[in-house]
């Protein structure tokens, strides 16, 4: 790459979002001692594991590395979003976009003072050193607002209940499938936890679709993301968990009713099981409405027609989480088709509180 290229617009935006230090080349305090060995093997893209034990990284070097990681992530996300647009589905367009992406990555690395091999080598160093990795993750968290990996208490996840709070026996097993862990879900999370995660993705992308109501391809792309979160059988790829709200909310209703049918189930469990299942099934009805709207947007041939459906899609997707006050009595109940995932979670909490008495 001897020619000077201007940065693509999506790379410029990413650069603005990430602080650019003036000492980007201060990568390692021990770089002089390791440069001779690095230069003798510059034709290879990987370094021996011993590198992690010999390279010393300063806090500034780790910060630069983390900023570069965030910058490259933004480049990847922007480029991949463009490649996913319907107008870019031709072979020529995909080839051109792939080349633009490679150029953008190279230029992003250059803007931070790295060659590709050096960046990968230092990323390996960080990945094999616990202290460095903790510093790296902390910087990434500050730059992006994302939680530090492995440091989020599970109890803050919507729908989650620690196993210690579950009743004993098969009643607790079925409730645990809802709120603690289930074998078939991503990360073996509880079905209600996955339902919340998928509904949040659907709501987010319904909102993202409203950002440019003159771009039909963008609206249709986000409508596809909504479908993937709701039911991957309808859209195989997307930003959801790959499990789908349909299976997750359906599983919530199924397993809470199985818990209530157990001979050892208390009256408290049986009462709240009705409420939880009712809210979950109301969520499924609302989900079918969202699927219909998303499909209509994807079938639209004009941006105006698609844009006219977006406010409905946003509203319905938000109701997946929050339910809806359909009878205008000032509150959202679990029944009468009003309930959403929030109401299901509330009654899981009330049910478990009643079991402690």
């Amino acid at each position: 790459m001897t020619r000077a290229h201007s940065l693509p617009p999506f790379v410029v935006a990413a650069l603005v979002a990430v602080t650019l230090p003036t000492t980007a080349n201060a990568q390692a305090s021990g770089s002089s001692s390791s440069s001779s060995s690095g230069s003798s093997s510059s034709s290879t893209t990987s370094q021996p594991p011993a590198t992690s034990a010999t390279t010393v990284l300063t806090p500034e070097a780790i910060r630069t590395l983390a900023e570069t990681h965030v910058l490259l992530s933004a480049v990847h996300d922007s480029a991949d979003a463009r490649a996913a647009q319907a107008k870019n589905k031709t072979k020529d367009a995909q080839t051109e976009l792939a080349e633009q992406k490679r150029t953008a990555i190279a230029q992003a690395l250059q803007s931070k003072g790295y060659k590709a091999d050096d960046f990968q080598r230092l990323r390996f160093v960080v990945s094999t050193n616990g202290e460095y990795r903790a510093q790296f993750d902390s910087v990434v968290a500050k730059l992006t607002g994302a939680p530090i990996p492995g440091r989020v208490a599970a109890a803050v996840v919507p729908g989650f209940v620690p196993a210690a709070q579950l009743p004993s026996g098969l009643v607790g097993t079925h409730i645990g499938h809802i709120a603690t862990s289930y074998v078939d879900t991503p990360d073996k999370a509880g079905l209600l936890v996955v339902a919340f995660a998928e509904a949040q993705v659907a709501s987010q992308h319904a909102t993202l679709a409203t950002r440019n109501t003159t771009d039909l391809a963008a609206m249709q792309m986000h409508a596809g993301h909504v479908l993937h979160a709701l039911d991957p059988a309808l859209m195989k790829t997307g930003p959801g968990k790959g499990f789908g709200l349909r299976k997750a909310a359906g599983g919530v209703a199924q397993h809470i009713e199985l818990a209530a049918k157990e001979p050892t189930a208390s009256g408290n469990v049986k009462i709240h099981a009705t409420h939880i299942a009712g809210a979950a099934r109301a969520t499924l009805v609302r989900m079918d409405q969202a699927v219909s709207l998303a499909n209509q947007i994807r079938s639209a041939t004009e941006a105006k027609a698609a844009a006219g459906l977006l406010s409905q899609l946003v509203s319905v997707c938000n109701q997946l989480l929050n339910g809806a006050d359909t009878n205008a009595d000032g509150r959202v109940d679990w029944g009468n088709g009003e309930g959403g995932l929030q109401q299901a979670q509330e009654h899981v909490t009330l049910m478990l509180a009643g079991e402690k008495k």
Side-chain angles (χ1 to χ4, degrees):
M1 290 180 53
T2 58
R3 295 178 58 192
H5 298 275
S6 60
L7 288 171
F10 60 91
V11 181
V12 174
L15 283 167
V16 171
V18 180
T19 303
L20 299 178
T22 58
T23 57
N25 289 319
Q27 296 173 3
S29 61
S31 58
S32 60
S33 62
S34 59
S35 61
S36 59
S37 61
S39 61
S40 63
S41 58
S42 59
S43 62
T44 61
T45 58
S46 61
Q47 299 292 330
T51 302
S52 62
T54 59
T55 302
V56 178
L57 297 179
T58 65
E60 180 61 29
I62 293 173
R63 177 175 180 80
T64 301
L65 196 68
E67 290 175 347
T68 306
H69 167 79
V70 172
L71 174 58
L72 290 179
S73 296
V75 171
H76 279 287
D77 289 347
S78 297
D80 292 347
R82 294 172 69 210
Q85 293 178 1
K87 65 181 181 180
N88 293 326
K89 288 300 184 181
T90 66
K91 182 178 179 181
D92 289 344
Q94 290 291 310
T95 300
E96 181 181 354
L97 289 171
E99 179 58 32
Q100 289 179 7
K101 182 178 178 180
R102 284 191 291 270
T103 300
I105 289 171
Q107 292 179 332
L109 286 169
Q110 185 179 22
S111 75
K112 301 294 287 183
Y114 287 114
K115 294 181 179 179
D117 288 357
D118 293 336
F119 177 74
Q120 295 301 330
R121 176 175 63 84
L122 293 174
R123 283 288 284 120
F124 175 78
V125 172
V126 167
S127 69
T128 56
N129 183 299
E131 180 180 351
Y132 290 163
R133 184 56 192 258
Q135 294 178 48
F136 178 91
D137 288 341
S138 178
V139 174
V140 170
K142 290 178 181 178
L143 290 172
T144 64
I148 298 175
R151 299 189 183 185
V152 177
V156 305
V157 179
F160 178 80
V161 173
Q165 296 182 18
L166 300 174
S168 60
L170 289 176
V171 173
T173 298
H174 287 299
I175 297 173
H177 289 162
I178 295 168
T180 306
S181 181
Y182 189 64
V183 66
D184 290 336
T185 58
D187 302 321
K188 294 182 170 56
L191 289 160
L192 185 55
V193 174
V194 176
F196 266 107
E198 298 286 42
Q200 286 167 345
V201 170
S203 180
Q204 176 190 23
H205 282 273
T207 301
L208 288 173
T210 66
R211 288 187 173 182
N212 188 350
T213 55
T214 62
D215 188 337
L216 178 61
M219 289 185 285
Q220 291 178 330
M221 177 186 70
H222 287 298
H225 293 169
V226 171
L227 288 175
H228 178 256
L230 299 180
D231 188 348
L234 302 174
M235 180 62 63
K236 292 184 178 180
T237 60
K241 294 284 187 180
F243 192 80
L245 178 62
R246 187 185 300 280
K247 285 174 63 178
V252 170
Q254 177 188 14
H255 282 277
I256 196 61
E257 288 175 342
L258 288 172
K261 289 178 181 178
E262 286 297 323
T264 57
S266 66
N268 169 68
V269 167
K270 293 177 181 178
I271 290 173
H272 286 292
T274 300
H275 302 168
I276 296 164
R281 290 205 166 91
T283 301
L284 288 172
V285 171
R286 208 167 279 117
M287 188 211 72
D288 285 335
Q289 297 171 2
V291 166
S292 177
L293 288 166
N295 278 329
Q296 290 178 62
I297 291 169
R298 284 178 54 78
S299 299
T301 57
E302 295 182 357
K304 184 177 180 180
L309 298 168
L310 287 179
S311 62
Q312 297 178 63
L313 182 62
V314 170
S315 178
V316 172
C317 285
N318 287 340
Q319 291 170 13
L320 296 171
L321 294 161
N322 303 318
D325 180 14
T326 58
N327 60 7
D329 66 353
R331 64 191 183 95
V332 178
D333 199 0
W334 63 267
N336 300 318
E338 292 191 342
L341 297 178
Q342 182 62 44
Q343 286 66 46
Q345 181 181 20
E346 289 173 359
H347 283 277
V348 168
T349 301
L350 290 169
M351 176 180 62
L352 294 176
E355 291 299 285
K356 293 178 181 179
K357 296 179 180 179

